Amino acid sequence: MIVKKILSVCLVILMAAQLVAQKKVDVKAQYALAEKQYTMMLQTHPDTTKTPQSVLPDGTLRDMPTSWWCSGFFGGSLWYLFDYTKSQSWKEAANLWTMAIQKEQYNTGTHDLGFMLYCPFGNGYRLTANSVYKKTLLTGAQSLSTRFNAKAGVIKSWNKLGQYDYPVIIDNMMNLELLIWASKNSGNKKFYNIAVTHADNTMKNHYRPDNSSYHVVCYDTTTGKVLAKITAQGAADESAWSRGQAWGLYGYTMMYRETRDRKYLTQAIKIADFYLNNPNLPADKIPYWDFNAPGIPNEERDASAAAITSSALLELAKYAPKTKGAEYYKAAEDMLVSLSSPTYRAALGENNNFLIKHCVGHKPKNSEVDVPLIYADYYYLEALMRYERF
Ligand code: GLY
């Protein structure tokens, strides 16, 4: 009996050692480079009201105010640097750039509070248990919940889109983690119920039979009916905008983690399979900005979608059945290998100190095309850590 136990412990250790030995991305080296780049990023950003976002066509910095949906990603990235290195200087920088966003906790004019607050304050609270962060997150969740309409059963994303007054975008799945966290940390079930209702209606209305997602679904709040299924950032209403597929994948994986409701796991697996089996996914697994972009293969890649997807797959790999899990781990690893290669990973001193190159923000508006984007960096750092700790 004892011999059997010792043998099985040895086998587990051997398997774990093999997995570590087989790792194809040097996370330590990537974090060391990230530390150098973000040290310079801090030097080029002395004003915390101007958050790092991207680079303009003339090569100068595109910094944005704290009300911009991406304002929390830099602080969140600094928390990942602290998480990985445990260095006090990263903790101080992370706190500074987190507190810079604090006033957005009262912002009821956006659905993006999950991104803006949960990435910096959520990581900050996870790592420090600072009660100020907790209070800010709870206020933010309350502000976000004011955008929920019970008749439509979803949280409003934008305040208007053309003729529509209640547009909901797939990206909104990413804001639900803040609500679930708030429910757990306040005991107020309202936040949890909103998150689950939004996720259920999004699953029903945003997804096509092939498991790709529409970008925008517009609702009528008097009847609760769907009025239109369209796009804003994708190539066409019926196309699969790559980052939208990534947001949905990450969102439903997170919903399964938080609720253990198997329908969310099934949904996440369906999305992952749409993405990974898509004939337009290039061999290096960095997607074009839209899976149906009309000029493929002469279209820009969106490395931000790959960063989000690799992070989501590394979590989904733990919940999916064994064979699928191994497939998702391998796909995530392939994505991280590509993202860490000189094609997508900036060398020291390049790329205005951002980590990842070749992302697309809003192609139809010709805005942020083939540039670094702060959220690509954030999810890349997250994915690297998930990969190392897998
Ligand atoms: N949430 C906006 C975007 O992904 O561009």
Side-chain angles (χ1 to χ4, degrees):
M1 190 67 183
I2 293 179
V3 175
K4 232 180 168 182
K5 259 195 179 158
I6 293 173
L7 275 176
S8 63
V9 169
C10 286
L11 194 68
V12 169
I13 293 171
L14 200 71
M15 280 163 67
Q18 258 182 346
L19 202 64
V20 172
Q22 284 165 3
K23 290 219 158 147
K24 291 184 185 156
V25 180
D26 186 344
V27 174
K28 200 169 164 203
Q30 290 304 333
Y31 260 86
L33 180 56
E35 281 197 86
K36 289 188 184 142
Q37 284 170 282
Y38 272 27
T39 297
M40 294 196 283
M41 185 77 100
L42 286 170
Q43 282 159 6
T44 52
H45 288 83
D47 179 353
T48 55
T49 64
K50 294 176 181 166
T51 67
Q53 161 72 15
S54 184
V55 176
L56 292 165
D58 67 3
T60 58
L61 288 170
R62 172 166 154 86
D63 294 334
M64 298 301 271
T66 63
S67 57
W68 179 241
W69 75 276
C70 301
S71 61
F73 289 119
F74 186 50
S77 299
L78 296 171
W79 281 119
Y80 283 140
L81 286 176
F82 169 64
D83 194 351
Y84 193 79
T85 64
K86 301 292 179 265
S87 150
Q88 281 308 301
S89 58
W90 289 120
K91 185 178 177 183
E92 280 160 30
N95 177 60
L96 182 73
W97 282 88
T98 293
M99 293 306 286
I101 318 297
Q102 196 187 25
K103 68 174 193 302
E104 301 305 331
Q105 68 184 308
Y106 305 109
N107 187 344
T108 54
T110 177
H111 75 137
D112 286 317
L113 291 181
F115 287 122
M116 294 155 74
L117 299 176
Y118 197 69
C119 296
F121 288 92
N123 277 307
Y125 187 67
R126 174 175 64 81
L127 294 164
T128 66
N130 183 336
S131 61
V132 174
Y133 299 167
K134 179 176 178 177
K135 202 162 172 282
T136 307
L137 288 167
L138 291 176
T139 305
Q142 176 52 34
S143 299
L144 176 58
S145 71
T146 64
R147 296 181 69 81
F148 179 74
N149 177 285
K151 189 80 193 172
V154 279
I155 299 164
K156 176 154 76 170
S157 293
W158 300 327
N159 293 334
K160 203 157 175 64
L161 179 64
Q163 68 197 91
Y164 301 109
D165 295 327
Y166 209 92
V168 177
I169 61 176
I170 188 61
D171 323 26
N172 210 339
M173 284 299 301
M174 297 297 286
N175 294 310
L176 307 183
E177 196 168 0
L178 169 64
L179 294 177
I180 294 192
W181 179 93
S183 191
K184 285 187 177 161
N185 283 272
S186 69
N188 188 344
K189 197 90 173 104
K190 171 183 87 169
F191 299 129
Y192 182 93
N193 292 339
I194 290 176
V196 164
T197 307
H198 182 96
D200 289 353
N201 284 315
T202 298
M203 204 154 87
K204 189 168 90 196
N205 296 324
H206 258 83
Y207 281 88
R208 305 184 179 104
D210 70 354
N211 303 314
S212 66
S213 167
Y214 285 93
H215 180 207
V216 194
V217 174
C218 303
Y219 290 82
D220 180 334
T221 49
T222 46
T223 62
K225 284 203 174 121
V226 170
L227 296 175
K229 298 185 179 194
I230 53 179
T231 197
Q233 281 163 261
D237 290 343
E238 289 299 329
S239 75
W241 174 52
S242 299
R243 199 164 50 254
Q245 313 314 306
W247 292 141
L249 174 63
Y250 194 113
Y252 283 103
T253 304
M254 176 280 297
M255 284 303 290
Y256 176 68
R257 180 217 308 147
E258 296 299 333
T259 65
R260 294 289 151 176
D261 186 332
R262 291 194 74 81
K263 70 174 181 255
Y264 297 135
L265 177 60
T266 304
Q267 182 65 18
I269 288 173
K270 285 183 188 171
I271 302 167
D273 290 349
F274 168 82
Y275 195 107
L276 297 176
N277 298 328
N278 195 294
N280 283 341
L281 183 66
D284 68 1
K285 293 196 168 60
I286 310 296
Y288 296 100
W289 64 278
D290 190 303
F291 279 101
N292 308 106
I296 289 175
N298 300 313
E299 295 276 359
E300 292 83 7
R301 306 293 190 91
D302 179 16
S304 79
I308 299 157
T309 300
S310 61
S311 188
L313 286 175
L314 284 166
E315 180 166 22
L316 184 59
K318 296 194 163 177
Y319 311 142
K322 226 172 165 186
T323 325
K324 282 242 168 256
E327 186 194 321
Y328 297 156
Y329 175 87
K330 165 86 174 59
E333 182 175 60
D334 289 349
M335 290 172 198
L336 285 178
V337 167
S338 295
L339 289 171
S340 304
S341 75
T343 308
Y344 296 100
R345 179 71 166 91
L348 189 61
E350 257 186 23
N351 209 29
N352 293 66
N353 305 316
F354 287 91
L355 312 182
I356 298 292
K357 306 182 274 186
H358 303 308
C359 307
V360 173
H362 197 317
K363 176 82 196 252
K365 266 196 181 164
N366 203 23
S367 166
E368 300 182 331
V369 178
D370 199 14
V371 288
L373 286 166
I374 188 66
Y375 43 93
D377 287 13
Y378 174 86
Y379 289 103
Y380 174 66
L381 289 173
E382 181 180 86
L384 284 176
M385 206 139 40
R386 285 182 174 186
Y387 178 67
E388 180 151 294
R389 294 174 181 173
F390 193 86

